[in-house]
Amino acid sequence: MASGAMQEEQVKLLGIWVSPFVKRVEWALKFKGVEYEYVEEDLINKSSLLLTSNPVHQKVPVLLHNGNPIVESLVIIEYIDENWKQNPMLPQDPHERAKARFWANFIEQKITEATRTALLTEGEQQEKAVKELKEAMEVLEGEAAAKLNDKTLFFGGKNGLGYVDIVLGWICNWVEVIEEVGGFKVLDPQKQPHIHKWMANFVEVPLIKPTLLPKEKMVVYFQMVRQAVLGLAAKK
Amino acid sequence: MAAISLQTETMAEEVKLFGTWASVFSRRIEVALKLKGVQFEYIEENLSNKSPALLKYNPVHKKIPVLVHNGKPVAESLVILEYIDETWKHNPILPTDPYEKAMARFWAKYIDDKLLPAAIKVAMSKGEEQKGVIEEIQKQLKTLESELKEKKFFGGESLGFVDIAANTIVWLVVAQEALGMEILTEEKFPVLHGWYQRLVDDAVFKECMPPREQHLSFVKVRFGSSTPSK
């Protein structure tokens, strides 16, 4: 029987070291045990490979599988799950899958977006984003309280990590950094005990731990981004 | 044995859809259910007086559409479409190949992340700002057109996931007529216009469109002012 080893799987990931969207894809690939080549992109001088692989958005991450590009982190993760069947990230049952996708969307629309806005704005705009972020964390805390306990550490359930964990995982490294850079506070172990417990468990997972980034380096990067964007906004 | 199978049949599929008649999102679900021949009960919600059922089934967002299948709720239109495709496997709306599926998800996301917000913005803006948004939308339509190419539908020979998500374009066309804008024209978008005609002529799709005159009035009342812009 022809095995995967017979076929040459060429898997390449275009990314930047500091992107939470890229990190998610790396976690998904590692979770599946898929060998891949990582290419660090320069977003100021975008490579022709990046531009031809993602002409619509010209962003990272881009997954190239045997030369075929897939973009948008959630789309890439589902592709990885469907193409490599070992260690499923999504549940089998359609209703459970729908719930996992619902929460992934919630995280993207409410937590990721609000964090981005809080990083890139100030004054009233930032206050509004921080408020939305706090409310979203409250909702997430409710879901975590309902789903997680001493036996079920992750949203993936009894099997350990799953799709929602991989989609949410970025908050462990990035939120603290962006709070510091943006000058606001959302994470609160008193108000979000279940999320904090989940974060503590997530960063200890053997495939996750070595991928965590140095906070100081991230702070420098995001400070630069914030200043650049606020500077542009001030000119308008 | 006969008694057991009879019980399974009468237990049947209890499928309910909570929606609103002019919602681009809930109409997507109607199209998918009809394409699959799934019987469902439709419940028209009043968004200024949401039913206890809606609040129970979608406590996080309190929005429509919500599909309730045998008492279990599913929310978010694209999530619901995938659920429908995975539950009723005949007449698939998504491709089976993982790469083709990823492409379909990409384009549906593109429509919801880029085209839809721009379509709402264009209806709410005026003058110079509106001109800018119209240009933005036209660029997006060109991008979609280049994806469509020679195909009958985004899904190929028949309606698929992307076509259903692209019902957004029907709403855009209604808005352009109601508010006197010129965005999607046959001259500027011959390929996309051809697709649009096939979409609104499709037997299932056209059954699920809001009645045109009412839809036009709805948009005029919601977004209109007395002066159309050029």
Side-chain angles (χ1 to χ4, degrees), chain A residues 14-16 19 21-22 39 41 43 50 54 58-62:
Chain A
L14 310 183
I16 57 166
S19 161
F21 307 103
V22 172
V39 178
E41 285 287 328
L43 295 185
L50 174 57
N54 191 358
Q58 301 178 5
K59 285 180 170 177
V60 292
V62 178

Side-chain angles (χ1 to χ4, degrees), chain B residues 80-119:
Chain B
I80 300 172
L81 291 181
E82 295 229 29
Y83 174 82
I84 289 171
D85 210 39
E86 286 166 6
T87 304
W88 293 279
K89 298 196 198 287
H90 54 282
N91 297 356
I93 51 182
L94 275 159
T96 39
D97 171 65
Y99 187 73
E100 296 303 319
K101 209 182 251 194
M103 291 302 101
R105 287 177 177 142
F106 171 84
W107 288 109
K109 203 169 190 300
Y110 180 81
I111 288 164
D112 273 6
D113 289 350
K114 303 283 177 194
L115 183 62
L116 198 93

Side-chain angles (χ1 to χ4, degrees), chain A residues 76-117:
Chain A
I76 298 173
I77 295 170
E78 288 228 37
Y79 173 81
I80 291 170
D81 206 36
E82 283 158 10
N83 199 70
W84 289 278
K85 305 245 183 258
Q86 68 276 21
N87 297 357
M89 290 184 276
L90 275 159
Q92 294 305 308
D93 171 69
H95 190 248
E96 294 301 314
R97 290 165 81 81
K99 283 200 282 192
R101 287 175 177 141
F102 172 88
W103 284 105
N105 281 356
F106 177 84
I107 290 161
E108 275 318 60
Q109 285 157 23
K110 301 287 177 189
I111 298 179
T112 313
E113 263 318 292
T115 306
R116 187 207 301 264
T117 307

Side-chain angles (χ1 to χ4, degrees), chain B residues 6-228:
Chain B
L6 193 71
Q7 187 180 58
T8 331
E9 273 189 31
T10 48
M11 240 170 75
E13 305 277 28
E14 204 204 44
V15 182
K16 288 189 193 187
L17 172 63
F18 291 79
T20 57
W21 69 276
S23 159
V24 63
F25 303 110
S26 67
R27 291 293 185 167
R28 288 175 179 173
I29 313 308
E30 288 183 40
V31 172
L33 290 168
K34 291 211 156 92
L35 281 172
K36 302 267 186 181
V38 174
Q39 304 275 19
F40 65 100
E41 181 195 340
Y42 175 75
I43 295 126
E44 176 73 20
E45 278 288 324
N46 175 357
L47 296 182
S48 40
N49 189 15
K50 293 174 182 176
S51 71
L54 175 60
L55 300 176
K56 175 178 98 174
Y57 288 129
N58 191 359
V60 174
H61 298 302
K62 306 176 175 58
K63 285 182 172 177
I64 55 96
V66 180
L67 185 80
V68 183
H69 182 206
N70 294 335
K72 291 185 181 167
V74 184
E76 300 284 291
S77 69
L78 298 183
V79 175
I80 300 172
L81 291 181
E82 295 229 29
Y83 174 82
I84 289 171
D85 210 39
E86 286 166 6
T87 304
W88 293 279
K89 298 196 198 287
H90 54 282
N91 297 356
I93 51 182
L94 275 159
T96 39
D97 171 65
Y99 187 73
E100 296 303 319
K101 209 182 251 194
M103 291 302 101
R105 287 177 177 142
F106 171 84
W107 288 109
K109 203 169 190 300
Y110 180 81
I111 288 164
D112 273 6
D113 289 350
K114 303 283 177 194
L115 183 62
L116 198 93
I120 295 170
K121 203 170 171 193
V122 87
M124 298 200 304
S125 55
K126 305 223 181 310
E128 280 309 305
E129 196 199 349
Q130 193 183 65
K131 270 196 197 143
V133 184
I134 290 177
E135 269 172 36
E136 202 186 308
I137 295 178
Q138 288 178 326
K139 280 196 195 127
Q140 292 164 355
L141 294 177
K142 267 282 167 244
T143 302
L144 282 166
E145 207 176 42
S146 68
E147 168 58 19
L148 183 62
K149 298 196 247 306
E150 307 274 290
K151 290 184 288 193
K152 190 172 171 192
F153 292 109
F154 288 96
E157 277 305 301
S158 54
L159 292 192
F161 190 69
V162 180
D163 302 281
I164 298 173
N167 73 343
T168 308
I169 294 177
V170 175
W171 266 247
L172 181 68
V173 169
V174 168
Q176 85 180 3
E177 192 183 320
L179 306 174
M181 302 178 287
E182 217 179 70
I183 310 175
L184 168 57
T185 62
E186 191 173 352
E187 297 158 289
K188 287 204 172 102
F189 302 96
V191 173
L192 199 63
H193 192 263
W195 165 85
Y196 173 83
Q197 284 305 134
R198 289 190 289 277
L199 185 74
V200 300
D201 282 342
D202 177 86
V204 170
F205 190 88
K206 75 175 158 202
E207 231 179 81
C208 302
M209 279 168 55
R212 197 174 181 82
E213 285 312 310
Q214 269 133 283
H215 200 181
L216 285 166
S217 310
F218 176 83
V219 173
K220 279 185 191 145
V221 166
R222 185 147 172 223
F223 296 108
S225 69
S226 49
T227 11

